[in-house]
Amino acid sequence: MRHVPLRANPLWMRVLLLLLLSSMLFARPLWAQAAPTPAPGPTGTIAGRVVEAVSEAPIAGATVRVLAQEAVVQSDAAGRFVLRGVRVGIVTIEVRRLGYAPVTKGDIAVSPAKPAEVAITLRPIDVQLDAVTVRPDAFPAQMPASTPVSTQSYDAEEVRRQPGAQEDVLRAISIAPGVGVTSAARNDLVVRGGAPFENLFVIDNVEVPNINHFGSQGSTGGPISLINIRFIESASLSAGGFGARYGDRASSATTLTLREGNRARVAGELNIAATQVGAVLEGPLGSNASFFVNVRQSYLDLLFTAIGLSFIPSYTDATAKLVWRPTSRDAVSFLTIAARGTVTFNNDTDSARVDNSQVLAPAQDQYFSGLTWKRLLGRGVATTTLGRTWTRFVTAQRDSLLVPVFESRSTEGETSLRSDLAWVFGKGLELETGTIFKYASALAYDATLAGFARRDATGTPRPLRVDTSFTALRNGSYVQAAWQATPRLRLSGGLRGDWYGFLDDAVRVAPRASASLQLDARTTATLSTGRYWQAPSYIWLVGDAGNAARLRPFRADQAVAGITRLVGRDLKVQVEVYGKRYADYPARRFRPQAVLSPSGFDDVTTDIPFGLEPLESTGTGEAHGAELFLQKKLGATRWYGQLSASVNRTRFRGLDGTRATGAFDTPLLANGVVGWRLNARWEVATRVRGASGLPFTPFVASGALAGTLDFVRYNRERLPAFFAADVRLDRRFLFGRTQLIAFVDLQNITNRENVGAPQWNPRTRTAELNTSVGLLPTIGLNWEF
């Protein structure tokens, strides 16, 4: 979706900001007003389960205590525990059990309104180096075999309070090392130079093509996520080197786990954020089940109308999750998320029609659902998920006379059945195996693209008219084993096979291996290597009559080496180097200098959208880089933060064989977050992001092709460096058994107008810089009751 520069902040926004700051600075919490003498303050509850890391078997008798408080309890036979009388605020718990490596888990938000639900995993000492089990740490002593390297995990509070994240989980995790974004207006993740379509997203064990409102068809990014950030239990991003469990993506794997509803009492939330309002209801269903439901409605239409913009976006989404535990060994969960997004135009004036003629209008209806049954076995766990994803895209762009330039109506629906088994054999040997079938039963495309917006390499117009439908069947199966060869050395190896029935029954095999060596009690060296295959996006197959025959899965061979050092209990320092080599990458026949690497499309008159052009699998490429990462978890001290810095280079070759700069080549990239929790009521944090400017292709300045991209100079120029700093202030208020969280998020506090890719001005027939918004203050309120 197009990002329009705003030169000044609206007066009403400044007034609201001043009112909120005044209330936060001078208001006193209810318990301070009501108690004439010092009191211990309000309390809340922490509830959760303690399970074994691989088999997920419940661990009874684990001691769970709140650090710096007196609350302590032991887990029962089902692994469950309930800590009552915990002082309200952000706390850290410590979990110990004889025979297991102890852990600490911080950033648990305790509220008087409802219990805080947490999940704790412990690893047996017999698969750990003795020296690292002496005291509990905030980081796992061993990474899972499925994500042995390049993986960062974030808890609920770490995601929620991220400055400048705009209540978007993808923006929140984009600070991980090696991860960049395409522009301030979008949340596309650019991982180690790979295009956004190379990223895998798994939500509660369901692989979802795109988790965004107004998502880019054939890719994974968009302006804003459709997942309510308050439902995130944990988020994990693996930037490469992941194991055989994950497939059909060449760059990264992101897993998002949504929390369960609390099992103690019915509770609710009302929230107002930067772009939407929402309501949440959750609670128990009998003694063995729980639920939560959420509905959100954007008010972007009101904001854009008030600001005076001529295009008006709006979206709605709803989420529901139910969890039922009929026995101590079984858990059944159901998740569904549905969303609708529309864009309308105000074409009352000639000027508005000219501006709108450069805007691609995406309308989208979508949902994804997953029904999961988890069964605990003697020494393992079996998980089966039936999933469904469905999206209807209605996309259009018209010229200043309202004549269609591009019209597309398409539907993509896919049903998946996934089954996974994890088993512990003892003596340090773990096995994972599984399979997933996907059947796309509803792939329908009806598209029209004007010839002047789809020219071949000679500049000849090649209009497109396609109306087709087809089905697609695929399967991925894997086996992976992890072995503690010695007290210091852990080895993992796996093999994945993928079959693509819709690509002439193509079969691809991907071996993967990793090693982890404990150099001393606090230092670990890791190495991972493997092959990764990915199929072309469905819409690419209909861009030309020969695409289905020419396109095949492309591959990326990866190698990652790193060293991780734990300092104290809650500080991690990590250095990694990586290399990727691409082959069979989709290359563009009409643009022989380029490979296909889209993120989002704002204007179809400058380049062919969504891969609707002749393509063939002959492109090659390589990416390499080095990353430094420091992460300080919130624990005994009141501050937290993380810093990542990386150097990267990406190059690709298209049909002409010329080695060109990759579309997402970012030589220097740095992100930093520092936060300070003053006390149980106040918290302040800041985020700083900096990066080398992305490369871009300049426009043809004159002649019949003026206003089109000059691919003779493909990616020859580069945007100015990107820099943004954000500050967020959170304040908690308690009113009896309810809690109000208010925050002010000052985005881009330096008021820097970062430059995006130039746009063509049809009035002046020149290229103009597209600048982002300057200082943007937003406010948020969340009332828990």
Side-chain angles (χ1 to χ4, degrees):
M1 204 166 79
R2 187 183 180 188
H3 190 60
V4 174
L6 305 180
R7 301 297 179 183
N9 297 310
L11 178 61
W12 66 268
M13 192 177 291
R14 299 180 185 177
V15 173
L16 281 177
L17 177 61
L18 290 174
L19 289 175
L20 181 61
L21 283 173
S22 299
S23 67
M24 294 173 72
L25 290 172
F26 299 110
R28 296 167 59 201
L30 185 59
W31 70 83
Q33 299 171 9
T37 58
T43 62
T45 301
I46 301 175
R49 299 180 74 236
V50 183
V51 300
E52 201 275 330
V54 177
S55 68
E56 299 190 28
I59 298 176
T63 300
V64 186
R65 70 183 183 93
V66 181
L67 297 184
Q69 296 191 33
E70 298 179 355
V72 61
V73 73
Q74 285 194 332
S75 59
D76 61 19
R80 290 201 61 84
F81 65 89
V82 179
L83 283 160
R84 295 184 173 86
V86 182
R87 290 194 294 274
V88 167
I90 306 298
V91 304
T92 299
I93 64 175
E94 179 184 277
V95 184
R96 291 179 178 270
R97 178 67 166 90
L98 185 64
Y100 294 87
V103 300
T104 62
K105 185 175 181 63
D107 260 344
I108 301 174
V110 180
S111 166
K114 59 183 179 180
E117 294 279 344
V118 298
I120 305 295
T121 59
L122 301 181
R123 278 189 171 271
I125 287 179
D126 61 1
V127 295
Q128 298 288 334
L129 178 66
D130 292 342
V132 303
T133 64
V134 174
R135 59 180 183 177
D137 293 315
F139 301 98
Q142 282 186 343
M143 297 300 293
S146 58
T147 53
V149 297
S150 307
T151 300
Q152 311 305 330
S153 298
Y154 302 95
D155 295 328
E157 276 296 294
E158 293 177 298
V159 172
R160 183 198 65 81
R161 66 177 178 226
Q162 186 76 230
Q166 302 176 21
E167 299 287 295
D168 187 332
V169 62
L170 297 185
R171 295 176 191 271
I173 66 176
S174 66
I175 58 172
V179 179
V181 295
T182 56
S183 74
R186 297 181 59 86
N187 63 18
D188 307 81
L189 298 183
V190 177
V191 182
R192 292 178 171 174
F197 68 76
E198 298 177 28
N199 304 324
L200 173 69
F201 292 94
V202 183
I203 317 298
D204 275 10
N205 213 38
V206 178
E207 297 182 3
V208 181
N210 197 308
I211 62 172
N212 289 289
H213 291 289
F214 311 108
S216 298
Q217 192 170 4
S219 190
T220 63
I224 187 167
S225 169
L226 55 83
I227 296 177
N228 190 333
I229 202 168
R230 290 171 180 80
F231 288 158
I232 299 295
E233 178 181 279
S234 63
S236 176
L237 187 150
S238 180
F242 44 91
R245 174 185 176 91
Y246 300 115
D248 203 30
R249 286 297 185 272
S251 279
S252 76
T254 297
T255 58
L256 303 179
T257 302
L258 305 192
R259 68 176 179 85
E260 301 180 16
N262 83 82
R263 297 174 58 182
R265 70 180 188 90
V266 175
E269 295 181 32
L270 296 175
N271 51 72
I272 302 175
T275 60
Q276 77 265 328
V277 297
V280 178
L281 187 67
E282 64 172 292
L285 289 173
S287 59
N288 297 321
S290 66
F291 76 95
F292 72 64
V293 293
N294 163 246
V295 177
R296 298 190 304 177
Q297 174 64 54
S298 75
Y299 50 83
L300 285 173
D301 50 343
L302 301 179
L303 294 179
F304 278 49
T305 301
I307 294 171
L309 299 180
S310 56
F311 67 99
I312 316 297
S314 178
Y315 64 82
T316 305
D317 59 55
T319 303
K321 183 174 181 178
L322 294 85
V323 179
W324 176 43
R325 301 182 184 276
T327 72
S328 61
R329 289 182 171 273
D330 296 280
V332 179
S333 65
F334 175 73
L335 169 71
T336 187
I337 298 180
R340 163 167 286 189
T342 61
V343 174
T344 57
F345 292 95
N346 179 359
N347 287 313
D348 292 344
T349 66
D350 291 340
S351 178
R353 286 192 291 272
V354 172
D355 289 340
N356 292 338
S357 69
Q358 295 181 280
V359 179
L360 186 70
Q364 223 169 279
D365 296 326
Q366 59 187 313
Y367 73 84
F368 58 87
S369 301
L371 177 64
T372 299
W373 173 36
K374 186 171 290 187
R375 171 71 174 177
L376 299 183
L377 306 174
R379 300 180 63 88
V381 58
T383 305
T384 301
T385 299
L386 177 64
R388 174 70 177 174
T389 64
W390 181 89
T391 306
R392 178 172 58 212
F393 301 90
V394 180
T395 311
Q397 184 169 338
R398 291 172 170 78
D399 64 17
S400 58
L401 299 178
L402 304 184
V403 176
V405 176
F406 176 58
E407 290 185 311
S408 175
R409 297 180 63 89
S410 58
T411 301
E412 296 181 348
E414 190 170 62
T415 300
S416 63
L417 180 62
R418 179 179 193 121
S419 184
D420 300 280
L421 172 67
W423 193 267
V424 179
F425 287 94
K427 298 186 181 299
L429 181 60
E430 304 167 3
L431 179 70
E432 293 182 65
T433 185
T435 187
I436 180 172
F437 286 91
K438 292 183 178 181
Y439 178 55
S441 58
L443 299 173
Y445 302 91
D446 184 352
T448 302
L449 180 60
F452 75 89
R454 188 177 183 268
R455 298 176 184 269
D456 64 18
T458 66
T460 304
R462 301 290 187 181
L464 174 70
R465 177 71 186 103
V466 59
D467 185 359
T468 187
S469 63
F470 60 98
T471 61
L473 180 63
R474 67 174 78 183
N475 169 255
S477 300
Y478 72 95
V479 61
Q480 181 163 293
W483 176 43
Q484 195 74 31
T486 73
R488 293 179 178 272
L489 178 63
R490 187 170 190 247
L491 302 175
S492 176
L495 189 67
R496 182 182 179 93
D498 285 277
W499 167 71
Y500 306 94
F502 62 101
L503 296 176
D504 197 24
D505 291 322
V507 176
R508 297 293 185 268
V509 177
R512 299 173 195 178
S514 68
S516 175
L517 178 64
Q518 203 83 39
L519 301 179
D520 59 38
R522 315 295 290 173
T523 309
T524 305
T526 55
L527 176 66
S528 178
T529 184
R531 173 161 289 184
Y532 300 81
W533 293 97
Q534 180 173 343
S537 299
Y538 290 133
I539 192 171
W540 303 351
L541 302 177
V542 302
D544 183 78
N547 280 0
R550 290 190 299 264
L551 288 175
R552 56 184 181 268
F554 66 90
R555 76 170 190 261
D557 295 327
Q558 298 189 29
V560 185
I563 294 180
T564 301
R565 173 77 177 176
L566 299 182
V567 182
R569 294 188 176 188
D570 50 20
L571 176 62
K572 177 176 74 172
V573 181
Q574 177 179 296
V575 177
E576 287 189 342
V577 295
Y578 71 90
K580 290 195 292 187
R581 189 172 295 275
Y582 292 94
D584 302 326
Y585 210 80
R588 309 176 64 179
R589 284 192 164 188
F590 286 175
R591 310 287 185 262
Q593 306 87 349
V595 296
L596 185 65
S597 53
S599 56
F601 290 96
D602 294 330
D603 182 1
V604 303
T605 63
T606 59
D607 197 11
I608 303 170
F610 306 120
L612 294 173
E613 57 185 300
L615 302 169
E616 61 180 67
S617 296
T618 56
T620 60
E622 62 273 345
H624 59 271
E627 301 165 354
L628 170 67
F629 182 60
L630 292 83
Q631 186 177 18
K632 167 67 171 63
K633 292 276 190 176
L634 185 64
T637 59
R638 293 183 177 181
W639 68 278
Y640 58 88
Q642 72 174 56
L643 171 67
S644 65
S646 61
V647 292
N648 317 270
R649 294 317 304 261
T650 307
R651 296 289 185 270
F652 279 96
R653 288 182 174 86
L655 290 178
D656 69 354
T658 302
R659 189 169 181 261
T661 301
F664 304 104
D665 176 67
T666 311
L668 297 174
L669 180 66
N671 295 304
V673 173
V674 176
W676 183 34
R677 189 173 294 281
L678 289 75
N679 51 45
R681 301 185 299 274
W682 289 91
E683 181 178 351
V684 63
T686 182
R687 177 174 74 163
V688 177
R689 294 168 293 156
S692 304
L694 290 172
F696 72 93
T697 303
F699 287 99
V700 176
S702 60
L705 298 180
T708 62
L709 295 180
D710 184 2
F711 278 87
V712 174
R713 296 182 290 163
Y714 175 62
N715 284 347
R716 296 282 182 85
E717 298 190 20
R718 192 175 288 274
L719 298 173
F722 174 90
F723 177 82
D726 312 308
V727 174
R728 174 166 169 152
L729 181 66
D730 283 66
R731 174 69 154 89
R732 296 172 183 266
F733 302 87
L734 301 185
F735 304 96
R737 290 182 59 83
T738 69
Q739 176 176 242
L740 176 68
I741 304 174
F743 68 85
V744 175
D745 198 349
L746 303 177
Q747 300 171 35
N748 198 9
I749 59 173
T750 63
N751 203 34
R752 176 187 175 93
E753 294 181 346
N754 286 294
V755 177
Q759 289 183 307
W760 184 257
N761 188 327
R763 298 185 185 92
T764 62
R765 296 184 63 79
T766 59
E768 296 180 348
L769 295 179
N770 181 24
T771 57
S772 68
V773 69
L775 173 65
L776 179 63
T778 63
I779 61 175
L781 299 169
N782 190 64
W783 179 35
E784 301 176 353
F785 56 90

